[in-house]
Amino acid sequence: NAGVTQTPKFRVLKTGQSMTLLCAQDMNHEYMYWYRQDPGMGLRLIHYSVGEGTTAKGEVPDGYNVSRLKKQNFLLGLESAAPSQTSVYFCASSPRPGLAGVNEQFFGPGTRLTVL
Amino acid sequence: AQSVTQPDIHITVSEGASLELRCNYSYGATPYLFWYVQSPGQGLQLLLKYFSGDTLVQGIKGFEAEFKRSQSSFNLRKPSVHWSDAAEYFCAVGVTGNQFYFGTGTSLTVIP
């Protein structure tokens, strides 16, 4: 099993350009997440999905859109990139939470994005 | 509101020395707590988790953590660090709906 994979690993954009980051998981997980990681700020949730065809906003959703057309894939789009979106982006997936309402998240290797 | 604080931005220890990384959380209900490790250029890997039961939990790579409800803490420990433990460590609290709130991380340097 590959676990959680992310494409691409690195990308440089110019301000105003658009791009899509792809996350794929082969663990049949229901939940998927997109985070951004910035120095001194830890990981912040951008958007998440609790199942195919459903998405929801996280802590920092502005400037991003997502889609979950297939259970195994979760796409993050930047319609008009800005320098403030320079960051490392992590995708994660999780089984449906049990009785506790919480379950472990499994992370991909990250995508390093630079917006000039 | 829920939050996680890791007071130490950076820690340096000698190889073979003991290690303790601090984590404090703020959450009104029963906390579900996690420690993740991030090696340079890699994603996050789960070290250990606390859901309920024994307040001392064992994880991978010889790490352990102790949940102290009275202090709202979940500190990570290792009795003898190895050079390969140099990494960034994140504490997180999971809340109902499987939302995670991460601390800002502690960077660990291990000197020979």
Side-chain angles (χ1 to χ4, degrees):
Chain A
N1 287 351
V4 180
T5 58
Q6 294 183 231
T7 308
K9 289 184 169 51
F10 304 92
R11 185 72 185 268
V12 178
L13 291 178
K14 295 181 179 179
T15 297
Q17 288 184 318
S18 63
M19 78 163 295
T20 300
L21 282 66
L22 171 63
C23 175
Q25 53 95 3
D26 61 3
M27 296 174 282
N28 201 34
H29 287 169
E30 293 288 340
Y31 287 38
M32 296 187 74
Y33 308 81
W34 276 108
Y35 292 90
R36 60 178 290 173
Q37 182 183 33
D38 302 292
M41 302 190 75
L43 277 77
R44 293 180 293 168
L45 183 64
I46 304 171
H47 285 281
Y48 65 100
S49 168
V50 300
E52 182 178 323
T54 69
T55 62
K57 294 179 179 179
E59 180 185 356
V60 288
D62 294 342
Y64 305 95
N65 56 75
V66 289
S67 65
R68 183 102 181 267
L69 299 180
K70 293 183 178 181
K71 184 177 184 179
Q72 64 267 32
N73 295 338
F74 195 28
L75 279 62
L76 178 71
L78 286 73
E79 290 186 350
S80 179
S84 60
Q85 294 177 304
T86 294
S87 187
V88 180
Y89 291 86
F90 287 100
C91 177
S93 71
S94 171
R96 184 185 298 277
L99 291 176
V102 177
N103 214 333
E104 175 188 349
Q105 293 187 13
F106 296 78
F107 284 82
T111 294
R112 185 173 295 276
L113 175 66
T114 301
V115 182
L116 302 176
Chain B
Q2 46 277 350
S3 66
V4 176
T5 301
Q6 293 181 248
D8 303 305
I9 296 173
H10 185 251
I11 284 182
T12 300
V13 298
S14 298
E15 191 167 15
S18 63
L19 172 70
E20 183 169 24
L21 302 182
R22 296 182 292 165
C23 172
N24 293 96
Y25 68 90
S26 173
Y27 184 54
T30 301
Y32 300 98
L33 299 162
F34 302 79
W35 274 100
Y36 282 85
V37 60
Q38 183 183 27
S39 298
Q42 303 296 314
L44 279 70
Q45 179 185 19
L46 181 70
L47 282 176
L48 49 78
K49 61 187 178 185
Y50 171 78
F51 276 21
S52 64
D54 193 347
T55 56
L56 184 64
V57 294
Q58 302 297 319
I60 62 171
K61 306 184 180 186
F63 285 92
E64 66 178 26
E66 186 171 12
F67 169 59
K68 293 184 177 180
R69 184 183 297 275
S70 61
Q71 299 178 17
S72 298
S73 69
F74 189 55
N75 294 349
L76 182 71
R77 302 194 294 248
K78 187 170 186 178
S80 177
V81 297
H82 186 263
W83 63 266
S84 61
D85 293 325
E88 185 109 19
Y89 292 81
F90 291 94
C91 182
V93 60
V95 305
T96 300
N98 218 36
Q99 300 293 300
F100 277 37
Y101 293 87
F102 287 86
T104 52
T106 297
S107 177
L108 175 66
T109 297
V110 180
I111 55 178

